[in-house]
Amino acid sequence: RGSLRKRPKTRVENDNELQRNQRDDRDRRPRKDEPINWLTLLILGGLLVGGGGTLFLQAGKGFMRFLEPTYEVVDARDTNILQEIFYKGEPWVVFCGRKTHDGRVNSTYQGRSSLWGVQLMDKLAVHANGRFRVGLLDCSAYLPSGKTIFERFRLKPNKASSQMAFWVANGGSPRMIDAYSLRSAVDYDVARLATKIGKWTEVKEMPISNTKQLTKKCIEYKRGCVVIVNKGPSLQLHLKDELNKVMKKHRKFRYFVLDKTKRKISLTLPPATMGYPQIVLIKKTSVGEGIDRYYEYKYSIFDDEFEEKEISKFLGESEGKGAEDSFWSSLEPLPTISKIISKSETPKKKKPTKQKRTAPPASQQRKEQARKARVEKESARKQSKGDEPKETDEEMHKRRRRQMDEDMRGNAPQAHDEDSEDMEFEELEEDEEFIDLDI
């Protein structure tokens, strides 16, 4: 009977059985749904889609590239486009070269090829933002005159540069772009170059104050000049905005502002309309050919409302009018600009400058004194050699007496011409006259 008795469980076995029962209880209980970790799902989704999104973005950029402005290949045989580049006044940046079949550009000056030149032109056209146009032209091609672009416009590039470009705007002559500015096709460097070219090609008005400036910079300018007679040194903001629009449309003219409160132009101007600034258009035209050729100067006045539409219409009409048309009036004699002063104001004279005195030439007495000194020195030398007898005390006393008299006369003040003591005054500018308003 003792063999049938159960053996008592040990402590370890009891612990194991308890743990099994607890696990069975947990398994029999109903399970609750765990919350979704949305942040984890978002990160995983971004990682999965990121690769495809990058490819999609690059493809989109490539497609937009076709919509961006790019450089233009200019045909050297097309005289219309050449006239537009060099004479119409529109701002252009022209690279000298030829496009090759492999997408490179050959420099027409030295025959080198460069791929980054194409990239530079493309990026420069994008960063221009409409301020100028970019073109590629074969500058070694011959024009109808028998000259190349280099010869016709005297373009001499830097031989150390593989890229060669010039800019032209506002009716001026082409100007070379330095090789240092063309060294890189990086976006930052190209953006800086585009900013510089934008400043170079910008057209703006300049102040004018005397006849010399009027004649040299305006009247003698062959493409036409616009003088804005304004009440003040600068235009009001809304008027300046209108003028900027006009200048962008008509770039080949030069624009000047004359302050009529301080200066007066010798032209008969009608009364200003509603206080608006008045515009004087001056044009220089050539008549005849060869030795019979001479120049005529014409002008026309615009005194309507100062608006971009009206001013552009006026300037546009001037281009189609001949020198004999009633649109123009003869500019004879040539106008002058005079300074306006009142009685309360007196002309500011420049301080007189004293005449620089130069050392007066040696007088005849001093020359004679020097000659006698040489003779006495020579005689003393001969006496020391015994060639002549020694002078007596009486002769020595007379000689010293004569020498003292000559020294006194030589040290006496010399007479000077009164004209050398006068002071010279600098005259005022010859091209300024003074008009008294208080008379």
Side-chain angles (χ1 to χ4, degrees):
R1 190 173 61 181
S3 61
L4 296 177
R5 186 180 295 176
K6 289 184 180 181
R7 183 178 58 85
K9 295 180 180 181
T10 63
R11 184 177 181 179
V12 174
E13 291 176 346
N14 292 331
D15 292 340
N16 292 337
E17 185 178 359
L18 180 62
Q19 291 178 2
R20 283 194 301 270
N21 294 333
Q22 290 177 351
R23 285 197 299 269
D24 293 340
D25 292 339
R26 285 197 303 267
D27 295 339
R28 284 193 294 268
R29 292 175 185 173
R31 295 184 178 181
K32 297 181 179 180
D33 297 334
E34 295 181 358
I36 300 174
N37 193 338
W38 293 104
L39 179 62
T40 305
L41 291 178
L42 182 62
I43 294 175
L44 292 175
L47 293 176
L48 293 175
V49 180
T54 303
L55 294 176
F56 179 77
L57 182 61
Q58 293 295 333
K61 287 184 176 180
F63 176 74
M64 292 299 295
R65 185 66 174 169
F66 289 100
L67 303 180
E68 292 178 344
T70 182
Y71 70 94
E72 308 171 36
V73 179
V74 180
D75 188 358
R77 296 169 295 181
D78 189 350
T79 56
N80 292 330
I81 188 66
L82 294 181
Q83 287 282 341
E84 181 179 349
I85 293 175
F86 293 103
Y87 299 108
K88 295 297 183 181
E90 293 298 322
W92 275 82
V93 175
V94 180
F95 286 77
C96 291
R98 283 192 297 265
K99 189 77 174 287
T100 60
H101 64 280
D102 57 353
R104 296 177 179 269
V105 172
N106 277 344
S107 171
T108 56
Y109 189 75
Q110 294 180 336
R112 288 193 291 265
S113 296
S114 60
L115 182 61
W116 62 269
V118 179
Q119 299 174 356
L120 175 60
M121 288 187 289
D122 272 335
K123 292 183 178 181
L124 188 60
V126 173
H127 287 285
N129 293 328
R131 292 174 292 180
F132 53 87
R133 297 166 66 179
V134 181
L136 176 65
L137 173 64
D138 183 2
C139 298
S140 63
Y142 286 94
L143 299 173
S145 62
K147 297 180 179 180
T148 64
I149 300 293
F150 295 120
E151 297 170 346
R152 170 64 182 82
F153 296 101
R154 299 178 182 178
L155 301 176
K156 189 175 181 182
N158 186 359
K159 294 184 179 180
S161 171
S162 61
Q163 281 299 314
M164 195 167 37
F166 61 87
W167 65 271
V168 57
N170 311 328
S173 301
R175 297 187 180 182
M176 296 295 298
I177 300 177
D178 60 292
Y180 183 78
S181 300
L182 304 174
R183 72 193 186 282
S184 173
V186 180
D187 287 337
Y188 175 75
D189 295 329
V190 177
R192 291 186 61 188
L193 176 60
T195 302
K196 291 199 308 185
I197 296 174
K199 292 181 179 180
W200 294 340
T201 59
E202 183 182 6
V203 57
K204 52 188 177 180
E205 75 280 6
M206 296 176 289
I208 189 170
S209 59
N210 55 57
T211 305
K212 184 177 180 180
Q213 293 176 350
L214 177 66
T215 303
K216 185 177 180 180
K217 296 182 179 181
C218 179
I219 297 177
E220 295 296 337
Y221 183 61
K222 58 183 179 181
R223 302 190 188 280
C225 168
V226 175
V227 179
I228 303 167
V229 183
N230 183 50
K231 189 176 181 180
S234 59
L235 297 173
Q236 299 179 11
L237 291 179
H238 68 284
L239 299 179
K240 188 173 179 61
D241 292 339
E242 297 293 328
L243 180 61
N244 288 335
K245 297 176 184 177
V246 173
M247 291 190 296
K248 289 181 179 179
K249 286 187 177 181
H250 303 273
R251 286 178 167 268
K252 70 176 185 178
F253 295 109
R254 285 183 179 176
Y255 297 85
F256 298 92
V257 177
L258 177 67
D259 184 3
K260 66 179 181 180
T261 62
K262 296 183 179 180
R263 298 290 191 275
K264 181 179 180 181
I265 188 170
S266 60
L267 290 175
T268 304
L269 301 177
T273 303
M274 299 175 60
Y276 284 117
Q278 297 168 295
I279 293 178
V280 180
L281 175 61
I282 300 176
K283 186 176 181 181
K284 175 184 177 182
T285 58
S286 61
V287 180
E289 297 180 357
I291 59 175
D292 297 330
R293 185 178 181 181
Y294 63 96
Y295 293 99
E296 289 184 350
Y297 301 91
K298 304 289 184 178
Y299 78 100
S300 183
I301 298 175
F302 174 84
D303 59 348
D304 204 343
E305 295 183 4
F306 201 91
E307 296 181 354
E308 180 269 331
K309 183 179 179 180
E310 300 296 332
I311 300 174
S312 296
K313 181 180 178 181
F314 169 74
L315 297 179
E317 289 179 356
S318 68
E319 298 181 5
K321 303 293 184 179
E324 303 300 328
D325 195 278
S326 59
F327 179 85
W328 299 104
S329 301
S330 178
L331 195 64
E332 292 183 2
L334 296 181
T336 58
I337 293 178
S338 53
K339 187 175 181 181
I340 299 176
I341 63 170
S342 60
K343 287 184 177 180
S344 59
E345 297 179 358
T346 56
K348 294 182 180 180
K349 296 184 178 180
K350 296 183 179 180
K351 294 182 179 181
T353 56
K354 293 184 178 180
Q355 183 182 10
K356 294 183 179 180
R357 292 186 179 182
T358 57
S363 62
Q364 192 68 22
Q365 283 186 342
R366 293 179 181 177
K367 290 182 179 180
E368 184 66 19
Q369 182 180 354
R371 187 187 66 79
K372 291 181 177 181
R374 290 196 300 270
V375 172
E376 292 178 357
K377 185 176 180 180
E378 184 67 22
S379 63
R381 186 180 62 81
K382 291 181 179 180
Q383 289 179 4
S384 63
K385 292 182 178 180
D387 297 338
E388 295 181 359
K390 296 181 179 181
E391 62 179 357
T392 60
D393 295 340
E394 184 178 358
E395 292 174 349
M396 182 179 63
H397 177 72
K398 291 180 179 180
R399 177 175 59 80
R400 290 180 176 177
R401 184 67 180 179
R402 286 196 304 270
Q403 186 175 359
M404 291 174 62
D405 295 338
E406 291 173 356
D407 291 339
M408 292 177 64
R409 286 194 297 269
N411 294 330
Q414 303 293 324
H416 291 85
D417 189 0
E418 295 181 356
D419 295 338
S420 62
E421 297 292 336
D422 294 339
M423 293 183 295
E424 296 180 354
F425 293 84
E426 294 183 7
E427 298 180 355
L428 296 174
E429 293 182 1
E430 297 179 357
D431 52 4
E432 289 192 356
E433 303 171 2
F434 294 94
I435 301 175
D436 198 338
L437 296 181
D438 296 333
I439 296 178

